[in-house]
Amino acid sequence: MEPARKIIHIDMDAFYASVEQRDNPELRGKPVAVGGSRQRGVVAAASYEARKFGVRSAMPSVTAARKCPNLIFVKPHFDIYRQVSEHIQSVFHEYTDLVEPLSLDEAFLDVTFHKKGKPSATLIAREIKQRIKDEVNLTASAGVSCNKFLAKIASDYRKPDGLFVIPPEEAEAFVEKLEIDKFFGVGKVTAARLHEMGIHFGRDLKKFDRAELIRLFGKAGSYYYDIARGIDNRPVNPNRERKSIGGERTFDRDLYDAKELQHELEVIAEIVWNRVKKKQAMGKTITLKVKYADFEQITRSHTFSGNVIGMEQLYRTGVDLLPYYEAAQKGVRLLGLTLSNLTLPGEGIPVQLTLEF
C-alpha cells in the first residue's frame, strides 16, 4: 500500500509588490500597485496595504486609484521577479524533484519522498519559509496536506506569512465547513451558480451525487464531487511550467504604425527566445497575442511541422500573424508572443525516505 501523499503549497505574499517594497525602502508600509498608471492599464499586483482599500490584481488602474487615492503605481520589474523566483525554485528542488510551479510566486511540492531536511512535511514547509526569508528577504505562506486541493486552501488560510496544516483525518470535516467561494478550482461564475442552487458550504455540495453534478457541470462535476469530500488524486506535475514560454509588452500609448509594431515584436521575440534557450526548449507552435485600445483581445497561431529554429523565425511568424488593418484602425495597447507545443529535457525521479506530517 502506497503511503499517503505529503503535499506542500508555497505561495509568496503579494510577491511583485513585496519585491518592490524590499528594494525601495520608501515604498514600505505604503499602498503599492505594480503595473498600470492612474490613467490606464491594469494592476498586476497589490501590496497588503493597498488590499485594505479593496485594490486587487487584474483591477483596472483607474478603479484602483479611485478606491485608494494615495495608491502608488510602480512599473513592474519582471527580470528581478524572475530571478527571485528562480532562486526560490532552486530551494524547492533541494527538497524534492516533484515541484509544480503555478506561476512565478507559487508552487506545489510533493515531499512524500524527500531529499533532505526535517522528518515531516510540516517541518520542511517551515524550513523552506525560513530560508526564503533569510535568502531573499521575503515572506511566503505554506499549506500542508494530503493533496493539492487541500494544500492550496491551507496556504491561503493564515496569510500573510502563514503556515497551516490539514491532516488527512480532518480533511472531510474541514471541507464541510468551508465556504464554496474559497474552493480552489471554483471560479466566481461557478460559485454564483452554486449559490443560486443553495450551495454555500462544502456540506451543501456534498449532498449532490456524482451523476447529478456531472449533468449540471459536465466533467468538472466529477471534480466537485471529489473535493466536497476532500479527495483530489491529481499528482504534482513538474512539467506544468513547461507548457509554453512567452512574453508580452503593454505600451504607454496605443500603437497604430506597422513599423512601430514590428519593432516591438522584435524586442519581444528576442526576450522570448532568450527564455527558450535558457530552458533548453524546442517548440512548434507560435502564438501572437494582440490587445486593442478598446480592450478587445485576439490570438493567432501557426504550428510548424518541425521545431522553430531561431529568434528570426519566431519574429517573422509574429510579423506574418499581425492583423495590420485592424491595428491601424483600432490601435494596439499590448503585444505578446508565445512558443508552445514544447519538448524539454527530462526530469529527475524522487527516491528517498517516507515522511510523516
Side-chain angles (χ1 to χ4, degrees), residues 43-59:
V43 174
S47 68
Y48 280 97
E49 295 85 356
R51 294 182 189 187
K52 293 177 182 178
F53 292 86
V55 178
R56 295 288 184 270
S57 61
M59 177 179 287

Side-chain angles (χ1 to χ4, degrees), residues 225-244:
Y225 177 87
D226 286 338
I227 61 174
R229 290 155 179 80
I231 299 169
D232 181 5
N233 295 318
R234 295 173 302 158
V236 170
N237 177 12
N239 296 315
R240 179 186 175 98
E241 186 187 35
R242 321 293 190 172
K243 290 181 179 178
S244 65

Side-chain angles (χ1 to χ4, degrees), residues 155-223:
S155 69
D156 198 44
Y157 209 67
R158 289 182 178 163
K159 267 186 164 291
D161 199 18
L163 172 59
F164 190 72
V165 181
I166 305 175
E169 63 274 14
E170 298 176 14
E172 193 165 354
F174 182 89
V175 174
E176 286 181 353
K177 300 175 184 177
L178 188 68
E179 295 177 12
I180 208 72
D181 305 72
K182 296 181 179 179
F183 273 48
F184 175 49
V186 175
K188 290 183 179 180
V189 174
T190 301
R193 185 177 173 190
L194 290 169
H195 286 316
E196 291 176 358
M197 296 168 58
I199 300 173
H200 301 281
F201 295 90
R203 60 177 175 269
D204 302 323
L205 182 60
K206 196 176 176 182
K207 295 175 183 177
F208 290 75
D209 62 32
R210 189 185 300 272
E212 179 69 3
L213 289 172
I214 292 174
R215 186 184 68 81
L216 292 168
F217 297 99
K219 291 181 180 179
S222 186
Y223 171 73

Side-chain angles (χ1 to χ4, degrees), residues 138-162:
L138 296 169
T139 64
S141 293
V144 181
S145 196
C146 54
N147 61 49
K148 291 164 71 172
F149 170 71
L150 293 169
K152 171 74 172 176
I153 290 171
S155 69
D156 198 44
Y157 209 67
R158 289 182 178 163
K159 267 186 164 291
D161 199 18

Side-chain angles (χ1 to χ4, degrees), residues 9-13 105-107 139-143 152 155-156 159:
H9 181 257
I10 301 288
D11 193 1
M12 300 302 297
D13 299 322
D105 62 343
E106 63 175 316
T139 64
S141 293
K152 171 74 172 176
S155 69
D156 198 44
K159 267 186 164 291

Side-chain angles (χ1 to χ4, degrees), residues 254-317:
D254 300 327
L255 302 184
Y256 296 84
D257 182 71
K259 288 185 178 179
E260 278 192 295
L261 292 167
Q262 290 173 2
H263 170 73
E264 295 296 343
L265 273 178
E266 188 172 17
V267 172
I268 296 168
E270 183 175 1
I271 292 171
V272 173
W273 193 251
N274 285 335
R275 294 173 184 170
V276 169
K277 290 192 296 183
K278 189 172 184 179
K279 296 291 185 183
Q280 298 181 326
M282 296 180 289
K284 297 179 180 180
T285 301
I286 295 173
T287 300
L288 173 74
K289 176 181 176 182
V290 181
K291 183 180 286 186
Y292 296 113
D294 61 2
F295 287 92
E296 179 190 358
Q297 181 173 299
I298 66 163
T299 58
R300 290 183 171 183
S301 299
H302 180 81
T303 299
F304 294 90
S305 57
N307 291 310
V308 175
I309 60 174
M311 193 275 283
E312 183 69 16
Q313 185 179 2
L314 179 64
Y315 163 63
R316 288 295 173 190
T317 303

